Structure formats: structure tokens, C-alpha cells
Amino acid sequence: MDAIDIQEDSYKDLLKLYIDTEDEKALYGAEKISKSFIKQGITPEEIVNLHIQSLQEMYDDMPQAYLRGLDFLLETMISYGLALQEYQTLREKQLEIKSELKIAAGMQKTLLATTVPVVENLQIGVVSVAAHQMNGDYHHFITGKNGDIGIALADVRGKGIPAALCMSMIKYAMDSLPEDTMGPNKILKNLNRVVEKNVDPSMFITMFYAQYFPQTSKFLFSSAGHEPGFYYHGDTKNFEELKTKGLVLGVTSETDYPEYERTIKEGDMIVLLTDGVTECRYGDNFLSREEVLEVIQQHMHLPAQEMAEKVYKHFERLQNFHLRDDFTLIILKK
Amino acid sequence: MEPHSFIGIKKEWDIVGARQLGREIARKLGFGTVDQARIATAISEIARNIYLYAEDGKVTFETIEGMNHKGLRIIASDNGPGIDNISQVMEDGYTTSGGLGAGLPGVKRLMDEFDIQSEVGKGTIVTAVKWLR
Ligand SMILES: Nc1ncnc2c1ncn2[C@@H]1O[C@H](COP(=O)(O)OP(=O)(O)O)[C@@H](O)[C@H]1O
Ligand SMILES: [Mg+2]
């Protein structure tokens, strides 16, 4: 109460100073005092009341009509006071939610952490950035017993918490698949069953899975409706779209994912991405896949990781540093 | 002043009557202008709910006079449809009138104690107390 008492006194003093002198100093004081009132959650009706009391203390001949008018004003302030209190409660709640989200985002980072494997003769570059606090893209590298590399890239349509929860499930499903090496088609078939059983049909999960065998340079892949990647042929200097067939995860319980194969030659490159890359928007325009390719071509001379980062920086700037969708780009270079 | 007084709520004007009676009792008990205005607003909210949702009900006022405690208890009771999900109704922003801070959560803020009992198909009793400081 002490702080308020002091303020009550200074409110009255400032009011008196202003009435007597019209001094700007008094008004500056009023500004400061009202800020501190807000901080303490003092409501407008209390301020009007303080005003009335201060006037009555200063003048014992206050006209009755004027006082009644002020009482009327006080009455109209009650709902504003309630609005202020509600605002304060909601603000506290929002801070709570924000800090919970921050913790959840941290947990997600730990949960989905993956290390880029070191492979002889193959450079791997990755950039994955969330549009909001939680990432709805998922990528994971697995190194098999006989040295083969598994690369998973998935995208949950939608952003934020629901997408992130879905992603955690995919991660656990992946972890619980049998250890011994499995081909991309089997892995997708398995995950499809898990998703079909556990995820609301309104969630839309696409996934690309690839297996690379360093000894033979064979690259096997299957896709569950995922954004097609690109294959760059070093000899012809041509980009090929990695066309695949295969349904989005979880649509039906039994579905097959055809498996495709390439042999990666010296000078070849593979670009895997999520639609956050191809659906970059600048203003009202969508970026075409050709434009994405152009950007990729501009940075092709760089090492894979640097290249991925440069491409990301390019799109980040194009979108005014405000990502609209989660963005994941994986580059494999030989 | 008798310790129990009440106003039946049937027409919108009865809300005004309830406010007026509540304010008079509050003033006689010694509540200041700000608290009188808060009590009147709380009465408005619960009386309006009876008028809007329950058609027939009443607002009762009880003065509480203990040893070192004085206060006003307001009881709004009706035989209306009742409230199914009270927790939801008590959430900020649920009010259908759209106003910030209005509705039952507002009543809770305006008063010192607040309680609702309600049974679907039977009715609702809202009790709120303001203590004199
Ligand atoms: N006495 C009552 N009887 C039945 N339903 C009620 C009663 N009081 C409130 N309700 C229900 O609770 C809701 C919230 O009430 P309230 O917080 O006063 O906000 P509002 O009246 O603006 O909707 C109302 O929309 C109504 O459905
Ligand atoms: Mg209401």
C-alpha cells in the first residue's frame, strides 16, 4: 500500500501544481504516474476516484453537479478496468505459453538431432530451418553396419505444434524399425502403416527415403508423395527431376512404394528438399522450380554444406527474412 | 434494513432495480464509490444472465456482519436451463457479448469471492461476496 499512498500524494500534488500554474512539468509527472499506475494494475475507476478525492480535499466548495458528473465518469470506467485486468491475465498466459513452447522446441531439437555422416567421396550438406518455433520438417541420417547411409527427409503439411508432434512420432517409428538394413521401399511401407494407424487423416505427411552404398556408389530411393528432388548429371551438365510414384503416408494401410536406382558418378549432385524451398514466396509470387534450380546452379561450385547455406540465405532474403514454411535442403555431391 | 432483500428478474428493467437496491445496501454498509460501482456492475452481469438465459429468477442480497468482518453477499438464483460446462464459461474471452473482461469472469474480478453451482435443466446459483475494507 505504501507505494500507492506515495503516488496518491504525488497525484494530488501534481494536480494542484497544474491547476495553479499550468506547468508542463506537472503534465510530465502525470505521464510518469499513469505509467506506474498501469504497472501496478491500478484500474481507471480508481484513478477517477483518486481525482475526485484530491479535488474535494483541495476545494470544499466543489459544485454538487460537477461531483455527480465525476461519479458518472467513474461508473463508465468500471468496464475499462475489467478489460485491463483481463488483458494483464492474458498477457501472463501468453508469456507462459511462449516459455513452454521454447522448452518444447528445445526438446524437439534434441529429439530430432542427427549427425551428418562422413562418407568417403561424398559431400553432404544440410540446412533445416523452422518457420515457427517448432519444425514440421524432419531429416535424419542413419549409418548402417556395412557402411551404407540412410537418408530420410519428411514434411508434415502444416506448421507448428501439431506438425512437430507428428514428427516425433515418425522419429520413434523410424527408431523402432528392425536394425538390419532395409531398402527405401520397405521402410516407407512400414512407416505408412504406422502413420495410417496413429495419425489423424487430416495430417499430411510426405517422405523421401534414400539409401546410399559408398562402395558401389549406388543410390536407391523411394518417395511417399514427397516434393521431387533433382539429379545433376556432371557429364551432360543437365538437371533431371527425380520423378517417383508413391502415395503420401497414411492414406491407405496397404500401399507399395516403387524403388528407383542411380549410380552416382564423379561430378554428379543430388538435391533433396521440402516444399518450403520450392514454395518460397516473394510478394504474391510463388517461385517456380526452374527459379529454384537457377539459384542452385549459381552456387554449385561451392562445397556441399556451404552451398546449402548460401542457397538458404538467398531464399531467406528473398522472403524478407520471414520464412513462411519450414525449409529443409539436403545436398549430396560427388 | 432487513438482512435479506431480493428483486425478481423478469424484465430488463428489473436489472436496474437490482443494481439500485444492491448499491443502496452497499452504501449503507459503508462501501466507497469505487466499490459501489463495482458491486453494481457485478449485479448487472448476473441479473442480465438471468434475464437473457433463464427468464425467471431473482437476485438476493445478504449483509454479513461478523466480529471484524462486514460484507455484502449477492445471490442470483434461477430455475433456468443451467450451465453445462462451467469451467469453459469461466475462461476469459468466452462471453458471447464479445466485450473484453465482461461476463462471469468479470464478476469474479469485481468481487472478492465467487461461486457458481449449476445443474443442467434445473437452474443456476451464482454467489458473490464483497468484503468491506
Ligand atoms: N443463469 C444462467 N443460466 C443459463 N446459462 C447461463 C447463465 N448465465 C450464463 N449462462 C451461460 O454462460 C455463458 C457465459 O455467460 P457470461 O460470462 O455472462 O457471458 P455472456 O452473457 O456475455 O455470454 C452465456 O452465454 C450462457 O450460455
Ligand atoms: Mg452475461
Side-chain angles (χ1 to χ4, degrees), chain A residues 19-179:
Chain A
I19 291 172
D20 292 345
T21 65
E22 266 187 89
D23 193 336
E24 188 67 31
K25 241 193 298 177
L27 294 181
Y28 180 56
E31 178 199 324
K32 280 204 194 149
I33 216 169
S34 80
K35 280 182 180 145
S36 112
F37 280 154
I38 290 174
K39 246 190 221 145
Q40 294 172 69
I42 293 174
T43 52
E45 69 267 23
E46 286 170 302
I47 298 167
V48 173
N49 191 47
L50 180 58
H51 187 76
I52 298 170
Q53 281 173 354
S54 306
L55 285 176
Q56 277 177 317
E57 279 168 33
M58 283 188 273
Y59 308 97
D60 31 56
D61 55 346
M62 287 282 291
Q64 192 60 35
Y66 187 67
L67 281 175
R68 263 191 209 158
L70 286 174
D71 280 343
F72 188 86
L73 177 66
L74 187 148
E75 201 79 24
T76 64
M77 287 301 115
I78 296 284
S79 292
Y80 281 89
L82 285 176
L84 176 69
Q85 284 173 298
E86 182 181 299
Y87 165 79
Q88 278 159 342
T89 317
L90 291 178
R91 210 176 121 135
E92 275 163 31
K93 271 195 198 146
Q94 193 204 24
L95 287 179
E96 240 171 66
I97 293 170
K98 261 198 180 160
S99 74
E100 272 178 28
L101 253 184
K102 205 171 156 192
I103 296 167
M107 284 174 68
Q108 195 201 22
K109 270 223 172 85
T110 318
L111 189 74
L112 300 186
T114 184
T115 32
V116 180
V118 181
V119 192
E120 217 180 315
N121 286 329
L122 190 77
Q123 293 177 32
I124 303 177
V126 188
V127 170
S128 185
V129 185
H132 299 304
Q133 292 206 46
M134 310 279 278
N135 200 338
D137 283 357
Y138 165 74
H139 72 279
H140 197 68
F141 296 99
I142 301 155
T143 308
K145 284 195 193 95
N146 37 12
D148 62 312
I149 307 292
I151 303 166
L153 177 58
D155 180 3
V156 179
R157 198 58 54 91
K159 294 178 279 280
I161 300 168
L165 285 174
C166 238
M167 236 44 294
S168 312
M169 195 206 58
I170 293 279
K171 152 87 179 164
Y172 276 113
M174 290 272 296
D175 284 355
S176 55
L177 292 178
E179 262 289 318

Side-chain angles (χ1 to χ4, degrees), chain A residues 123-127 299 301-313 329 331:
Chain A
Q123 293 177 32
I124 303 177
V126 188
V127 170
H299 300 283
H301 58 282
L302 298 167
Q305 184 58 37
E306 207 183 324
M307 177 182 163
E309 280 162 18
K310 282 270 158 63
V311 171
Y312 168 67
K313 287 234 161 73
L329 179 67
I331 290 179

Side-chain angles (χ1 to χ4, degrees), chain B residues 49 53 78 81-83 89 94-97 103-105 124:
Chain B
N49 282 353
Y53 311 117
D78 64 61
I83 302 171
V89 165
Y94 182 78
T95 155
T96 52
S97 48
L104 291 169
T124 304

Side-chain angles (χ1 to χ4, degrees), chain B residues 47-59:
Chain B
R48 193 165 45 239
N49 282 353
I50 294 177
Y51 166 70
L52 288 176
Y53 311 117
E55 283 173 27
D56 197 3
K58 62 177 194 283
V59 179

Side-chain angles (χ1 to χ4, degrees), chain B residues 33-98:
Chain B
T33 333
V34 173
D35 277 344
Q36 281 176 39
R38 286 177 178 157
I39 289 167
T41 306
I43 294 168
S44 265
E45 288 286 349
I46 50 180
R48 193 165 45 239
N49 282 353
I50 294 177
Y51 166 70
L52 288 176
Y53 311 117
E55 283 173 27
D56 197 3
K58 62 177 194 283
V59 179
T60 308
F61 302 98
E62 287 176 19
T63 56
I64 314 164
E65 291 190 64
M67 288 274 283
N68 36 23
H69 238 35
K70 254 195 194 179
L72 174 62
R73 177 180 290 123
I74 306 164
I75 304 155
S77 53
D78 64 61
N79 304 314
I83 302 171
D84 183 26
N85 190 341
I86 297 180
S87 309
Q88 194 178 41
V89 165
M90 290 313 294
E91 260 172 45
D92 279 324
Y94 182 78
T95 155
T96 52
S97 48

